[in-house]
């Protein structure tokens, strides 16, 4: 049986003049009478294959002439240096087999964004999309490694829920047999319950938000990395965030140089992503915004424009701490040193990217939580179980949620969050 080699392994340790076998998909092809130049792509890279009449059976040569872009192929041939070829090497074919022919490919060089989105199932094969998916996998692997080394246990919270975490307006409601239920916006409350068994937990799940406004940083379905930690205050929570994010970025810098080149992402600024990150109080940020000409009152949440203004000159992420209560959720812990505010922090990515994490210390005082639910007209019934957590051995604890597509968007320097996920879901799109 032929043993196929990955293109990347051939390019990194070339087997000059030896016969090698590869398989993949035709990425580009042109022919001039007696010779076909086909670039073949596999999951690891691309390499030029030269198919010359006379060097292989004629039917195979003819197959190579007519094989169109995205046909899957198997090739054996000898490997040679060739300065003109991408990557500097070529394979001179001794055999060429089309495994699955391709119909005329609907995606050509200049295409509208709509066409690319309609053909997402094909577009994800592009080198840029492939590079993004690899960077995302490496960011997640970096997080999991760091979490494993720091005593976190991965858990699997539910997606069907009856309680809201982040406010009613963005909830997706559905019929759950004869009852109403929602798709989860956040695993936070379930993670809070799990710290009483496991102390430090995390989960990576889809979160759903019926975001009606179209922005370049909101999806309706995104992958949420959430942590919850017993015995940790807001400062400790920030330390966990900055160390984990630094470890995630460091792993990409170490392992994904080639992908960052494909994405034309200058990696220099990412080298500044090292804990500790700056901490600035919300109030100071409001002053800064005023000095930049913004007319934003104390108590208003920071939107994309404000976050851009705050972070455009930063090179590393920045924490904004102590948001006023009116712009955050009821479960956060009041700051005894400034009771207008919560012990919370959003982590903003630099150079204008904005929020990638929202986190806080959680309120442990049962009466305060009940009072806030009442003030905000939120029915208590779905939260009965959550309130119990404050009745049976409550402990100080904190946690946060990181939008994995947000960190990918920043690390890969993407214009739009939809390119940080293979099948983006937005108001306008659930196909393919
Ligand atoms: P934003 O103000 O940007 O809408 P948020 O305050 O609603 O964010 P949280 O509820 O704190 O966000 O959620 C935690 C994290 O999940 C955010 O920091 C962000 O990284 C990510 N996130 C939130 N909403 C979305 C979304 N619609 N699409 C992608 N990621 C999201
Ligand atoms: Mg939001």
């Amino acid at each position: 049986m032929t043993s196929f080699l990955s293109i990347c392994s051939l390019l990194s340790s070339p087997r000059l003049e030896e016969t090698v076998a590869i398989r993949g998909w035709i990425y580009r092809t042109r022919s001039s009478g007696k010779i076909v130049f086909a670039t073949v792509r596999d999951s690891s890279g691309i390499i030029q294959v030269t198919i010359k009449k006379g060097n292989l059976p004629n039917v195979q040569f003819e197959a190579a002439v007519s094989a169109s872009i995205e046909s899957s192929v198997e090739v054996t041939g000898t490997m040679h240096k060739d300065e003109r070829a991408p990557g500097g090497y070529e394979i001179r074919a001794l055999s060429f087999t089309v495994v699955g022919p391709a119909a005329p490919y609907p995606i050509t060089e200049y295409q509208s964004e709509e066409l690319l989105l309609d053909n997402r199932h094909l577009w994800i094969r592009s080198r840029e999309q492939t590079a993004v998916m690899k960077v995302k996998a490496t960011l997640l692997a970096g997080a999991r490694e760091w979490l494993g080394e720091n005593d976190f246990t991965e858990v699997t919270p539910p997606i069907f829920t009856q309680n809201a975490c982040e406010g009613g307006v963005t909830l997706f409601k559905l019929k759950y047999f004869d009852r109403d239920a929602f798709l989860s916006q956040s695993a936070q409350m379930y993670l809070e319950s799990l710290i009483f068994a496991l102390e430090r937990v995390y989960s990576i799940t889809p979160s759903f938000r019926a975001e009606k406004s179209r922005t370049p940083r909101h999806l309706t379905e995104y992958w949420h990395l959430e942590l919850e930690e017993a015995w940790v205050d807001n400062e400790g929570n920030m330390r966990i965030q900055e160390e984990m994010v630094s470890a995630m970025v460091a792993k990409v810098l170490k392992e994904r140089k080639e992908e960052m080149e494909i994405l034309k992402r200058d990696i220099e600024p990412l080298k500044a992503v090292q804990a500790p990150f700056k901490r600035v109080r919300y109030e100071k940020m409001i002053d800064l915004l005023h000095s930049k000409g913004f007319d934003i009152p104390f108590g208003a949440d920071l939107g994309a424009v404000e976050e851009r203004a705050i972070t455009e000159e930063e090179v590393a992420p920045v924490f904004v701490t102590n948001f006023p209560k009116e712009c955050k959720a009821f479960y956060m812990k009041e700051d005894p040193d400034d009771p207008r505010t919560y012990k919370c922090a959003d982590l903003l990515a630099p150079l204008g990217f904005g929020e990638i994490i929202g986190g806080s210390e959680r309120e442990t005082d049962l009466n305060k939580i009940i009072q806030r639910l009442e003030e905000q007209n939120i029915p208590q019934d779905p939260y009965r179980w959550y309130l119990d957590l404050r009745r049976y051995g409550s402990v100080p604890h904190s946690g946060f949620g990181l939008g994995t597509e947000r960190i990918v968007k920043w690390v890969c320097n993407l214009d739009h969050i939809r390119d940080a996920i293979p099948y983006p879901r937005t108001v306008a799109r659930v196909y393919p």
Side-chain angles (χ1 to χ4, degrees):
M1 234 180 60
T2 321
S3 79
F4 295 96
L5 294 172
S6 75
I7 291 173
C8 135
S9 71
L10 279 177
L11 292 176
S12 57
S13 38
R15 304 188 172 202
L16 291 178
E17 318 290 331
E18 284 178 47
T19 301
V20 296
I22 58 162
R23 59 185 163 191
W25 292 264
I26 296 186
Y27 179 65
R28 274 194 211 114
T29 179
R30 70 191 157 88
S31 79
S32 58
K34 294 196 168 61
I35 188 158
V36 178
F37 296 98
T39 308
V40 173
R41 155 184 84 72
D42 70 4
S43 62
S44 72
I46 56 173
I47 194 165
Q48 177 170 297
V49 175
T50 313
I51 307 116
K52 208 169 171 183
K53 199 175 172 123
N55 283 356
L56 69 175
N58 215 28
V59 279
Q60 293 190 9
F61 177 76
E62 293 306 329
V65 172
S66 52
S68 57
I69 283 180
E70 291 304 322
S71 301
S72 49
V73 296
E74 292 179 353
V75 181
T76 56
T78 50
M79 186 169 184
H80 302 269
K81 254 197 153 76
D82 182 346
E83 298 303 325
R84 293 157 303 176
Y89 295 93
E90 68 166 5
I91 293 174
R92 296 184 191 152
L94 297 170
S95 83
F96 185 94
T97 313
V98 174
V99 178
Y105 204 54
I107 302 174
T108 52
E109 204 157 352
Y110 299 100
Q111 295 294 351
S112 72
E113 198 56 49
E114 275 308 293
L115 184 135
L116 294 179
L117 286 165
D118 284 340
N119 287 285
R120 194 71 174 184
H121 53 299
L122 302 176
W123 179 235
I124 46 171
R125 303 177 181 194
S126 71
R127 295 200 85 205
E128 295 76 14
Q129 290 289 317
T130 305
V132 171
M133 291 189 279
K134 288 184 185 179
V135 172
K136 188 178 198 175
T138 301
L139 285 166
L140 287 173
R144 282 199 165 98
E145 264 169 38
W146 187 91
L147 289 160
E149 284 160 13
N150 286 277
D151 299 325
F152 281 84
T153 303
E154 182 164 3
V155 295
T156 55
I159 299 296
F160 287 133
T161 75
Q162 292 205 304
N163 41 263
C165 230
E166 298 301 328
V169 271
T170 61
L171 275 177
F172 275 108
K173 193 171 175 180
L174 55 96
K175 266 271 158 283
Y176 190 81
F177 304 103
D178 52 1
R179 263 169 296 187
D180 287 334
F182 306 109
L183 292 177
S184 171
Q185 294 176 310
S186 162
Q188 178 197 317
M189 292 179 176
Y190 294 101
L191 297 190
E192 283 188 63
S193 71
L194 288 160
I195 61 165
F196 296 90
L198 297 161
E199 298 192 34
R200 287 153 84 85
V201 296
Y202 75 97
S203 60
I204 303 177
T205 61
S207 275
F208 301 88
R209 310 243 173 140
E211 308 278 7
K212 295 210 180 68
S213 54
R214 298 173 192 220
T215 79
R217 56 184 210 163
H218 287 93
L219 295 161
T220 54
E221 175 182 322
Y222 70 96
W223 285 80
H224 208 169
L225 166 57
E226 292 174 272
L227 275 70
E228 201 67 32
E229 314 109 17
W231 316 108
V232 169
D233 64 7
N234 191 45
E235 174 55 32
N237 195 33
M238 288 191 279
R239 281 205 294 276
I240 290 171
Q241 293 168 53
E242 62 197 1
E243 283 179 23
M244 186 185 78
V245 167
S246 302
M248 292 165 79
V249 172
K251 192 169 171 76
V252 169
L253 289 176
K254 193 163 145 230
E255 297 176 9
R256 292 294 172 202
K257 287 204 180 67
E258 200 185 313
E259 285 71 22
M260 299 305 252
E261 264 170 42
I262 291 171
L263 295 166
K264 301 190 177 70
R265 169 49 148 143
D266 176 10
I267 57 172
E268 276 314 306
L270 291 176
K271 294 181 181 163
V273 181
Q274 288 186 25
F277 301 156
K278 224 195 248 183
R279 290 139 168 74
V280 185
R281 294 173 73 90
Y282 166 93
E283 198 167 14
K284 283 270 171 306
M285 283 304 189
I286 293 294
D287 292 344
L288 173 71
L289 285 166
H290 289 163
S291 76
K292 286 177 178 264
F294 283 81
D295 178 24
I296 181 175
F298 181 94
D301 203 358
L302 306 177
V305 206
E306 289 84 14
E307 290 180 8
R308 169 165 292 279
I310 291 170
T311 61
E312 62 196 351
E313 278 145 40
E314 301 289 339
V315 284
V318 188
F319 287 111
V320 182
T321 72
N322 288 88
F323 279 81
K325 287 175 172 166
E326 51 269 44
C327 51
K328 292 289 174 194
F330 69 86
Y331 50 70
M332 295 188 178
K333 185 165 182 66
E334 179 181 291
D335 188 343
D337 298 330
D338 181 0
R340 298 171 306 164
T341 70
Y342 285 139
K343 292 177 82 177
C344 66
D346 281 0
L347 183 64
L348 311 187
L351 303 166
F353 277 94
E355 180 175 339
I356 55 174
I357 291 182
S360 68
E361 191 169 331
R362 316 306 190 188
E363 185 57 76
T364 45
D365 184 327
L366 179 63
N367 294 327
K368 284 201 169 122
I369 296 186
I370 291 176
Q371 191 193 332
R372 287 179 206 155
L373 287 172
E374 278 167 3
E375 281 165 9
Q376 297 174 33
N377 288 319
I378 304 173
Q380 273 178 48
D381 197 47
Y383 298 98
R384 281 191 325 271
W385 68 272
Y386 182 69
L387 299 176
D388 264 357
L389 305 179
R390 274 64 181 167
R391 290 192 180 100
Y392 300 97
S394 184
V395 293
H397 64 286
S398 301
F400 64 89
L402 175 152
T404 65
E405 290 76 18
R406 294 268 179 102
I407 193 168
V408 170
K409 179 177 185 286
W410 160 50
V411 169
C412 294
N413 195 16
L414 306 174
D415 292 334
H416 201 290
I417 195 166
R418 67 179 162 230
D419 286 322
I421 188 162
Y423 290 98
R425 267 71 179 105
T426 58
V427 186
R429 188 165 288 278
V430 279
Y431 173 93

